[in-house]
Amino acid sequence: MRSPLIDDVNSFVGRLRFQHLAVLMTAELFLLGIAFPDATELTGDVLLFLLLAPLQFFNRYVGLKLSGERPRLITLYRHIFTIILLLWLLWELAPFGLGADPGIHVMVYAALTAVSGIVLVRIVYKIWTIPSINSDVLFGIIICYATVIVVGFELHAINHQLQPGAYNFLPDMKHHSQLLFLSMGSTTTLGGPITVNNTTAQLINYFQAYLSQLFLVVFVSRMIGLHTGSNEA
């Protein structure tokens, strides 16, 4: 027998639309960018597991729902991410852990990256096949652009965990804030204040810059075409 709480949550999620997810994604970017303490400190743990991590999970969940993903995959994602999040929490708060092992961080970021990629592809396809311009198209584009920034951040975070010397961090800013700054700079092709020292980080930057420009050119052309076609009709 299903819990009434689960039914209430599913009903609430079912009422969310693209404009709501666009706001939630913007909030996620803001939280990733602010300089709250790193997850190796108690305050950072509290903010991470009570605010940022649940928001990241919820955003991917809503994204899968809105993109029309199969219910079985959505349920599988919910179970897998819950298990990973619990393992991460236990490892961070356990006296023997103290955030020393990067493996759990890599696993969490890899799971987020995989689901973010699925959401991005599904929403891009849904927007591309839509017959006319509406609010879903406009907010869907915002979601896709924000997702590219988040995916870049997650890839940089994985690379940082595996190769800590890959980035020349500034001394007065938290690392996660600088990684988001780098991802946003690569996506907008404006650059950032930190430099990279290995090929993997460079490839992530190239991938983001290329994908973001391709995304802008293709989708702006698509929107102009849809708008012109609707006016002629």
Side-chain angles (χ1 to χ4, degrees):
M1 184 175 180
R2 294 212 321 181
S3 169
L5 178 60
I6 295 179
D7 292 334
D8 292 339
V9 171
N10 288 334
S11 176
F12 171 74
V13 173
R15 294 193 297 269
L16 296 178
R17 295 295 179 262
F18 280 92
Q19 58 264 37
H20 303 124
L21 182 56
V23 174
L24 291 172
M25 288 295 297
T26 303
E28 180 181 342
L29 288 175
F30 174 76
L31 290 175
L32 285 172
I34 62 177
F36 60 76
D38 288 322
T40 53
E41 305 172 19
L42 180 59
T43 306
D45 285 332
V46 172
L47 290 172
L48 176 67
F49 291 107
L50 293 184
L51 187 59
L52 181 56
L55 180 63
Q56 290 178 303
F57 160 69
F58 186 71
N59 285 351
R60 280 29 166 217
Y61 180 64
V62 174
L64 289 174
K65 285 270 192 181
L66 292 176
S67 65
E69 191 53 79
R70 291 167 295 176
R72 182 175 298 180
L73 181 61
I74 296 175
T75 302
L76 179 64
Y77 160 72
R78 187 172 68 236
H79 293 331
I80 291 176
F81 195 87
T82 301
I83 293 172
I84 292 176
L85 189 62
L86 289 175
L87 289 175
W88 191 12
L89 176 62
L90 291 174
W91 187 263
E92 287 290 339
L93 298 183
F96 58 83
L98 298 177
D101 188 354
I104 188 67
H105 296 275
V106 172
M107 182 170 61
V108 172
Y109 284 127
L112 285 171
T113 303
V115 178
S116 297
I118 294 173
V119 171
L120 180 62
V121 171
R122 296 283 297 187
I123 293 182
V124 165
Y125 176 78
K126 188 167 186 175
I127 294 174
W128 188 258
T129 56
I130 204 164
S132 60
I133 295 179
N134 54 37
S135 62
D136 284 349
V137 174
L138 300 177
F139 286 107
I141 291 176
I142 295 174
I143 293 168
C144 291
Y145 206 72
T147 303
V148 171
I149 297 174
V150 170
V151 168
F153 164 79
E154 291 162 351
L155 291 175
H156 281 303
I158 293 173
N159 189 44
H160 171 55
Q161 292 292 329
L162 297 176
Q163 304 181 72
Y167 303 90
N168 297 319
F169 290 110
L170 299 176
D172 298 328
M173 293 177 62
K174 298 298 182 180
H175 289 177
H176 62 267
S177 297
Q178 296 186 61
L179 290 178
L180 179 66
F181 199 0
L182 176 63
S183 176
M184 190 169 293
S186 300
T187 303
T188 59
T189 66
L190 294 176
I194 64 174
T195 56
V196 297
N197 295 324
N198 73 341
T199 304
T200 303
Q202 289 180 333
L203 289 175
I204 296 172
N205 286 344
Y206 297 155
F207 160 76
Q208 283 187 270
Y210 174 76
L211 185 62
S212 63
Q213 294 307 302
L214 182 66
F215 176 80
L216 286 176
V217 171
V218 170
F219 271 84
V220 167
S221 301
R222 174 65 173 166
M223 291 181 65
I224 292 175
L226 288 174
H227 181 68
T228 303
S230 62
N231 285 343
E232 291 177 352

